[in-house]
């Protein structure tokens, strides 16, 4: 039991599971090296998620689902041990709701079955992965339809095959839009401090045969003023009932800049990223990471060693700055009001 698909149609696979072994393409090493890591337990998966071996909201949810299968095989009949594994797993990163969403789906299966059944859990994990692949395709089609031919787009962070199960969220829309001739220019923010834009998005776009230009984040305002982009398109880690969006730090800046320059702002995310239980984005836990992540840039010390740092890795864009939210269920426009029917 596994998920396999064509790269042209669905993007490439960065998470592999053959029923017993879980392998992750190590995103810390890209683009220099394509190294696969084998993960043998829920704790190893939690470490891989926390250390950004695998990142991106849907991808960490899918990884957690497969990790739940590994844990069930190791725990045998020990449900309490498995539940403790799940608790540690869902705490690996706090902001993306897809992580707890996937763990809770695995928990429900165990509650309904009344026992740990690794085969049934593997089937569910593969279903979660396949659903994401299908959601990606649907969002790519829906999102690209909204974009006027000849448009330029700016994206942030990485939202492609590395961050999802399939062709991606925002990046899926962009690749589809380029292939359909709607998008004429693609720009990717480098996305400090971890450089998901320049290391990962640029690598994925080149692999998909899409010409793109990278910019330092400080150049976004000048790019918008130059008239070369009409849309900013990003993914999300969590979206509240009123459409507030938690996403990679810097997204909020882009939304404000876009509004000032009269550009449109599109957020693309599967229903598994909606969290209608939360009203305001201010209630979303924002992950703070190690200051050491911003002590180095381009291989050089970029700050005095030991400097204090404020290193939130996500921010909140209020729903009123967002023009369109695309999920696999449709294209939503303000005022946003998401409820359980639209969530996965
Ligand atoms: O810290 P990361 O790299 O996991 O942050 C990822 C993002 O912010 C993405 O934009 C988001 O998860 C959407 S991925 C389809």
């Amino acid at each position: 039991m596994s998920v396999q698909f064509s790269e042209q149609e669905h993007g490439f696979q960065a998470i592999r599971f053959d029923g017993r072994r879980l392998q992750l393409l190590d995103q810390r090493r890209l683009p220099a090296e394509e190294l696969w890591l084998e993960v043998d337990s829920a704790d190893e998966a939690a470490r891989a998620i926390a250390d950004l071996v695998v990142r991106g909201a849907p991808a960490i949810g899918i990884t957690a689902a497969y990790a739940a299968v590994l844990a069930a095989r190791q725990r045998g009949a020990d449900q309490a041990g498995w539940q403790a594994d799940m608790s540690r797993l869902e705490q690996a990163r706090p902001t993306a709701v897809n992580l707890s969403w996937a763990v809770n789906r695995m928990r429900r299966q165990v509650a309904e079955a009344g026992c740990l059944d690794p085969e049934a859990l593997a089937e569910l994990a593969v279903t979660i992965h396949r659903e994401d692949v299908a959601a990606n395709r649907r969002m790519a089609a829906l999102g690209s339809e909204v974009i006027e031919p000849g448009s330029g787009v700016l994206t942030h962070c990485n939202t492609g095959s590395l961050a999802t199960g399939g062709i991606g969220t925002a990046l899926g829309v962009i690749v589809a839009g380029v292939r359909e001739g709607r998008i004429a220019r693609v720009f990717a923010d480098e996305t400090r401090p971890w450089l998901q834009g320049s290391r990962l998005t640029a690598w994925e776009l080149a692999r998909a045969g899409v010409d793109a230009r990278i910019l330092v984040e400080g150049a976004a305002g000048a790019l918008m003023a130059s008239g070369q982009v009409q849309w900013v398109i990003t993914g999300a880690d969590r979206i509240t009932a009123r459409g507030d969006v938690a996403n990679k730090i810097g997204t909020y800046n882009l939304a404000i800049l876009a509004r000032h320059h009269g550009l449109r702002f599109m957020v693309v995310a599967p229903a598994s990223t909606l969290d209608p239980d939360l009203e305001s984005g201010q209630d979303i836990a924002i992950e703070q990471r190690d200051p050491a992540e911003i002590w180095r840039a381009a291989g050089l010390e970029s700050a005095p060693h030991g400097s204090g740092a404020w290193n939130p890795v996500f921010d909140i864009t209020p729903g009123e700055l967002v023009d369109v939210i695309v999920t696999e269920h449709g294209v939503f426009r303000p005022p946003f009001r998401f409820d359980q029917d639209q969530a996965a």
Side-chain angles (χ1 to χ4, degrees):
M1 192 186 323
S2 67
V3 172
Q4 276 163 358
F5 45 71
S6 91
E7 177 160 347
Q8 172 69 14
E9 203 184 345
H10 296 296
F12 62 90
Q13 256 182 278
I15 304 169
R16 291 183 190 150
F17 181 72
D18 65 3
R20 302 222 148 242
R21 287 181 324 148
L22 174 59
Q23 291 178 308
L24 303 172
L25 181 58
D26 189 343
Q27 300 191 29
R28 300 168 305 181
R29 309 293 277 263
L30 291 170
E33 199 182 3
E34 290 182 38
L35 183 81
W36 286 84
L37 282 190
E38 190 149 333
V39 168
D40 291 320
S41 67
D43 282 345
E44 274 185 32
R47 207 168 314 123
I49 291 169
D51 291 351
L52 310 184
V53 170
V54 56
R55 39 133 312 274
I60 62 182
I62 293 164
T63 301
Y66 287 133
V69 181
L70 302 179
R73 287 203 208 291
Q74 282 159 357
R75 290 292 182 179
D78 177 9
Q79 270 198 56
W82 183 84
Q83 291 291 358
D85 293 338
M86 294 306 97
S87 300
R88 288 193 302 281
L89 191 55
E90 74 183 334
Q91 283 160 20
R93 294 190 77 189
T95 305
V97 71
N98 306 62
L99 179 54
S100 54
W101 170 84
V103 168
N104 285 335
R105 261 183 94 171
M106 303 306 273
R107 282 195 178 117
R108 276 201 299 279
Q109 195 287 331
V110 171
E112 280 158 24
C115 64
L116 289 176
D117 176 349
E119 297 315 315
L121 285 169
E123 209 169 296
L124 178 56
V126 167
T127 299
I128 288 173
H129 194 164
R130 287 202 177 121
E131 285 173 359
D132 196 59
V133 173
N136 285 183
R137 273 246 60 89
R138 181 84 189 121
M139 291 186 287
L142 288 171
S144 66
E145 262 173 33
V146 175
I147 297 167
E148 307 75 19
S151 295
V153 302
L154 169 62
T155 191
H156 189 59
C157 196
N158 171 266
T159 61
S161 296
L162 293 167
T164 64
I167 196 168
T169 57
L171 214 57
V173 169
I174 291 170
V175 170
V178 169
R179 289 183 181 156
E180 288 165 16
R182 292 173 178 276
I183 296 178
R185 296 168 300 282
V186 179
F187 295 88
D189 254 350
E190 63 179 355
T191 316
R192 285 172 185 257
W194 221 67
L195 304 180
Q196 286 94 331
S198 52
R199 289 192 309 107
L200 307 179
T201 298
W203 180 78
E204 281 204 45
L205 286 170
R207 189 167 169 153
V210 172
D211 277 340
R213 275 184 281 171
I214 304 164
L215 54 141
V216 298
E217 272 150 291
L223 175 71
M224 292 184 195
S226 77
Q228 297 183 80
V229 294
Q230 285 64 48
W231 283 90
V232 176
I233 310 181
T234 75
D237 283 79
R238 196 183 290 242
I239 301 175
T240 69
R242 68 179 191 201
D244 292 352
V245 175
N247 194 50
K248 178 53 53 196
I249 191 78
T251 304
Y252 177 41
N253 302 26
L254 294 180
I256 293 172
L257 282 172
R259 188 55 59 93
H260 177 78
H261 289 91
L263 313 185
R264 258 80 49 77
F265 196 91
M266 181 191 293
V267 173
V268 188
S272 54
T273 301
L274 295 178
D275 186 359
D277 291 341
L278 290 186
E279 180 62 20
S280 164
Q282 297 311 316
D283 297 331
I284 298 174
I286 297 293
E287 178 181 5
Q288 289 273 346
R289 291 185 67 89
D290 189 343
E293 288 185 350
I294 50 184
W295 290 346
R296 288 181 75 78
L300 295 170
E301 295 287 330
S302 60
H305 186 75
S307 301
W310 190 62
N311 189 18
V313 294
F314 299 99
D315 59 23
I316 305 296
T317 299
E320 63 252 32
L321 291 177
V322 179
D323 296 291
V324 176
I325 295 179
V326 179
T327 79
E328 66 272 37
H329 299 318
V331 174
F332 299 87
R333 295 175 198 276
F336 301 110
R337 181 46 42 194
F338 294 110
D339 57 25
Q340 294 298 344
D341 289 345
Q342 285 123 358

